[in-house]
Amino acid sequence: MSTTQAIKPFRGGSWEQCGAFVQCIRAAAWKEGKIRDPGWTADFASLHLAGEALAWYCDLTPDTQEDWRKLQAALAKRWPFSGDDRSEYAVPAAAAAAPSSKGSEKPGSTERGILKAIISGDKDAYYVQLSSDDTICTLTTDTRKALCCRFDSQSNAKLFECM
């Protein structure tokens, strides 16, 4: 099966272009019966990078280059979604992270953000917030009231905590 003819090279640009590229790669992997093979999918995706995207890819670690799950996350981080402007609630991990008590945390392993709730059929964006007495979670449309969370990708248990 030839799936490469339908995929235009991804050169960078916007989330819309990145998202379309990711979807094309996923569709091609599915057609080839490789949707669950992250190595094959990452290699296949790399064949369709050009320009700025290819230069960016060349600077990634081999671990990220060889694993579709990691490469896909790196693509989304480099060309982020802007439909509801993630920047309005993003907290830079390096600036916000508290010092690690273990002293072994690798730089860039801690991600911070808020939890977004998607309600089928509803166009509004909702975010998880704690009630005023911190006993239940509710939804809000105000990102400033949203519960701040931290994810540590380097912890053995893949630590995800809400603060």
Side-chain angles (χ1 to χ4, degrees):
M1 259 184 251
S2 178
T3 56
T4 60
Q5 294 172 343
I7 300 174
K8 294 179 183 174
F10 176 61
R11 299 180 181 284
S14 67
W15 164 251
E16 289 75 22
Q17 293 165 330
C18 180
F21 173 73
V22 168
Q23 285 303 107
C24 285
I25 295 299
R26 286 180 180 168
W30 180 80
K31 287 178 185 174
E32 295 292 328
K34 301 287 189 176
I35 193 73
R36 299 277 182 229
D37 186 339
W40 183 93
T41 307
D43 289 342
F44 183 76
S46 73
L47 298 173
H48 298 88
L49 297 172
E52 178 189 351
L54 180 58
W56 164 83
Y57 171 84
C58 289
D59 285 337
L60 294 173
T61 64
D63 186 49
T64 301
Q65 290 178 346
E66 297 166 2
D67 185 325
W68 173 242
R69 291 176 197 99
K70 292 177 183 178
L71 179 57
Q72 182 176 231
L75 282 160
K77 188 173 184 177
R78 173 62 181 88
W79 290 279
F81 177 71
S82 60
D84 60 0
D85 192 13
R86 283 186 182 185
S87 64
E88 98 183 35
Y89 57 85
V91 178
S100 172
S101 59
K102 296 177 185 176
S104 62
E105 186 171 291
K106 294 180 183 174
S109 67
T110 303
E111 299 289 333
R112 290 180 179 246
I114 61 176
L115 297 176
K116 183 176 181 180
I118 298 174
I119 300 174
S120 182
D122 196 337
K123 295 179 196 171
D124 292 329
Y126 295 95
Y127 305 94
V128 176
Q129 74 174 357
L130 275 177
S131 62
S132 57
D133 60 355
D134 293 343
T135 58
I136 61 170
C137 290
T138 59
L139 297 179
T140 180
T141 56
D142 186 351
T143 57
R144 294 169 296 178
K145 295 179 182 178
L147 180 64
C148 184
C149 300
R150 180 179 74 150
F151 175 72
D152 183 359
S153 62
Q154 297 298 318
S155 78
N156 290 337
K158 301 295 182 212
L159 175 67
F160 180 79
E161 65 182 339
C162 296
M163 302 173 283

